[in-house]
Amino acid sequence: MKLLGGCLLTFALVWGLVLGWWQSNDHAPSQLDLGLYLVALPLALVGGFLLLRGFIDHLKKPPEALPRPESGLRDEDPLALATAKTAAAERAFTLGLIDAFIVTAGGDTVDDTLAALADGKRPEPSTRLTDDSGYPVFVAEVPDLDVDTLIDTLIEESAAPRAFVERGEVMRALALAERVLEASIERLRDLLEQMEEKASLRVDWLVPAAWMELDLAPLKTWLQGCLATRLPEESLTITLRSATHELDALLALDELILRANRDAPPSEIRLLLGASSAVDEQTVARWESENRLFSAHQQQRQIPGEGAVALILARQELIARLDLVDGVCVTRLNAARRDKPVDAGGRIGGKLIEQLVTGLLDLTGVEPAAIKAVLLDTDHRPRHLTEALEGLGPHGEHLDPIQDCLALGTLVGTLSPIGSLAALACARGKVLASEAPVLCISNQHPLERGALLVLPFAPNPDTQSSST
């Protein structure tokens, strides 16, 4: 009725206005005028009103829910439920970190490196490397590294082709790996002697991606020779894996944690090894040409570093069975990628790191207040440090940004791709000292971000009984 009344009112108003206009002008309308003004015009107004009203009613109407696409599996499908439960359980996997060894510019042990970091030691100008202007280059160099003896030995034994010997970063990295292997082999021997059953040792060597252009077979032979002379050769397996940046190294560790929990025997021990060096003439020259070398005029650039790291890992059952008092646990990695480089223009935000840390804490059930320290692989560059500290956000309000949030790169420079593993080794030292969880964050790379937790080892009675 309202609609009909509105239509009649519209016709009456139009007719009254039109007829009054014609009368005031003494106009004699034709048949066309009568059709246009007295029929077509009111019909157009009524039709326009109806169209507008229908459009408004359409906008007010809530959208219809779209039908869910068929997945091929019913919600109650037992296989689908089992897969979901398995994925959730695997995200909660951890792996025991029995021991960690590093060699950096800060020292030959984790304790030495942490002490140098606490004392504020920083990279210094090199006595042998200069830039194109002739000024000394700031480097984080391992002192007293005997590269010449290693080169002579390799040449004498014909264990390395000339392509290796001519590349300074390869030879220095091998010398660093040799030094860190000395300490790790002694610990591995002790572990193998404590085990009653026959154990297996798997070695994963993370090789810098720049080495992939070389024939890596001699590297594997060299490492085999270093280990086989002092460890049971029949239980030894060596795998070489390429790593491009710091997150690659953590992804290798994450894959190791996953595989160890899925199908590895409880008696298996893993050695994750890595070494890298950027403290040589060729690398310094390349960094300078790429405008990434730190100098007095370019302090937002990177400082070349070098070092080596070795992590001894095993399942928690083995740590509990051998009653190892210095073992810790490492969670799986929570990783993501920034939408733009951290050194790009604009404001630097730590939202991504905050999300990674939040997800990690939710998964593990660790309260933020329980975390007593944070280890970062980043260096002196303020944008990286700002991103990390802002990313801690509400989780790190109880932490001292100077005493508790340690950026390892400020001491060791850019240690790609193993800087994240070196930070993890230092995080283990902090866990043993504080007997509390320590957060390890990787944000040295311009885009890649990762976070994991290092936890004090707490043997599970059910786990212990199941391993016997």
Side-chain angles (χ1 to χ4, degrees):
M1 292 295 294
K2 290 183 179 180
L3 180 61
L4 179 60
C7 293
L8 294 177
L9 180 61
T10 301
F11 272 82
L13 288 174
V14 171
W15 287 355
L17 291 173
V18 171
L19 293 175
W21 175 51
W22 285 343
Q23 186 177 8
S24 63
N25 291 322
D26 197 20
H27 175 69
S30 63
Q31 263 191 330
L32 180 61
D33 290 338
L34 293 174
L36 286 175
Y37 290 101
L38 298 184
V39 178
L41 179 59
L43 286 177
L45 291 175
V46 171
F49 169 76
L50 294 177
L51 288 175
L52 179 61
R53 179 179 176 181
F55 178 70
I56 293 174
D57 290 341
H58 174 72
L59 293 179
K60 290 181 178 180
K61 185 179 179 181
E64 295 182 2
L66 296 176
R68 294 179 61 183
E70 292 293 334
S71 62
L73 293 173
R74 301 189 312 273
D75 290 343
E76 66 274 13
D77 191 331
L79 293 179
L81 292 175
T83 301
K85 290 180 180 178
T86 300
E90 289 183 345
R91 284 299 303 154
F93 281 163
T94 61
L95 190 62
L97 176 56
I98 296 177
D99 215 334
F101 305 92
I102 61 173
V103 175
T104 67
D108 286 356
T109 66
V110 169
D111 290 340
D112 291 343
T113 300
L114 286 173
L117 192 59
D119 291 341
K121 183 179 178 181
R122 296 294 183 263
E124 299 176 350
S126 174
T127 58
R128 59 185 182 85
L129 298 173
T130 58
D131 57 19
D132 288 344
S133 301
Y135 294 106
V137 175
F138 279 80
V139 294
E141 184 176 4
V142 174
D144 305 324
L145 190 63
D146 191 0
V147 182
D148 294 335
T149 300
L150 175 63
I151 293 176
D152 293 340
T153 302
L154 293 177
I155 293 177
E156 181 180 348
E157 298 176 354
S158 300
R162 181 173 297 276
F164 282 4
V165 176
E166 291 177 348
R167 292 185 60 162
E169 81 275 17
V170 177
M171 287 296 100
R172 294 190 67 87
L174 291 182
L176 292 163
E178 188 178 46
R179 185 181 291 187
V180 81
L181 280 171
E182 288 292 324
S184 57
I185 287 175
E186 291 298 325
R187 186 63 195 273
L188 287 170
R189 288 181 63 184
D190 292 340
L191 290 172
L192 294 175
E193 289 175 358
Q194 294 180 54
M195 301 178 64
E196 298 178 357
E197 73 277 22
K198 182 179 179 181
S200 61
L201 173 62
R202 300 183 64 89
V203 181
D204 297 274
W205 188 1
L206 297 181
V207 178
W211 297 12
M212 297 307 293
E213 61 191 45
L214 304 172
D215 179 14
L216 299 183
L219 287 182
K220 189 172 183 178
T221 302
W222 173 82
L223 181 58
Q224 182 89 22
C226 291
L227 297 172
T229 56
R230 301 167 63 182
L231 295 172
E233 187 173 2
E234 64 273 9
S235 65
L236 181 62
T237 304
I238 297 177
T239 303
L240 271 61
R241 172 171 176 165
S242 171
T244 305
H245 46 69
E246 291 79 5
L247 194 66
D248 265 355
L250 291 182
L251 288 171
L253 173 64
D254 186 71
E255 180 181 336
L256 194 153
I257 295 173
L258 181 62
R259 293 184 180 278
N261 282 274
R262 275 181 175 174
D263 49 23
S267 59
E268 181 180 85
I269 299 176
R270 305 292 291 249
L271 177 66
L272 185 59
L273 173 69
S276 68
S277 176
V279 186
D280 64 283
E281 293 181 359
Q282 298 95 328
T283 304
V284 167
R286 185 176 73 253
W287 282 27
E288 187 171 16
S289 66
E290 295 171 354
N291 196 29
R292 51 184 291 210
L293 182 65
F294 176 91
S295 68
H297 304 291
Q298 297 285 356
Q299 298 188 13
Q300 307 305 317
R301 302 292 185 263
Q302 295 170 280
I303 297 178
E306 62 181 357
V309 59
L311 306 177
I312 300 179
L313 304 122
R315 290 173 59 171
Q316 288 92 319
E317 296 95 317
L318 182 61
I319 296 179
R321 181 149 40 96
L322 299 180
D323 195 21
L324 302 176
V325 297
D326 54 356
V328 300
C329 291
V330 181
T331 68
R332 292 195 61 192
L333 178 69
N334 206 10
R337 183 181 176 90
R338 287 180 59 90
D339 56 356
K340 68 175 182 178
V342 69
D343 51 1
R347 181 185 177 277
I348 296 301
K351 193 66 176 178
L352 179 58
I353 291 181
E354 182 179 348
Q355 292 173 354
L356 295 178
V357 174
T358 300
L360 192 61
L361 296 177
D362 290 342
L363 180 65
T364 58
V366 174
E367 293 294 331
I371 298 174
K372 300 304 180 184
V374 180
L375 260 297
L376 312 165
D377 63 5
T378 194
D379 52 25
H380 64 283
R381 291 172 289 176
R383 296 176 74 86
H384 291 251
L385 292 171
T386 299
E387 178 202 23
L389 293 177
E390 184 176 325
L392 290 175
H395 307 306
E397 291 178 347
H398 63 290
L399 299 173
D400 187 315
I402 298 177
Q403 299 295 328
D404 301 326
C405 302
L406 305 177
L408 183 63
T410 60
L411 170 66
V412 304
T414 298
L415 201 56
S416 181
I418 63 166
S420 54
L421 296 183
L424 175 60
C426 291
R428 173 186 175 271
K430 279 291 186 180
V431 171
L432 295 178
S434 63
E435 298 183 351
V438 171
L439 182 63
C440 189
I441 296 176
S442 176
N443 73 321
Q444 173 80 272
H445 190 270
L447 291 170
E448 306 293 345
R449 298 293 175 265
L452 53 80
L453 276 171
V454 186
L455 308 170
F457 178 72
N460 187 336
D462 296 335
T463 300
Q464 291 189 62
S465 61
S466 65
S467 63
T468 57

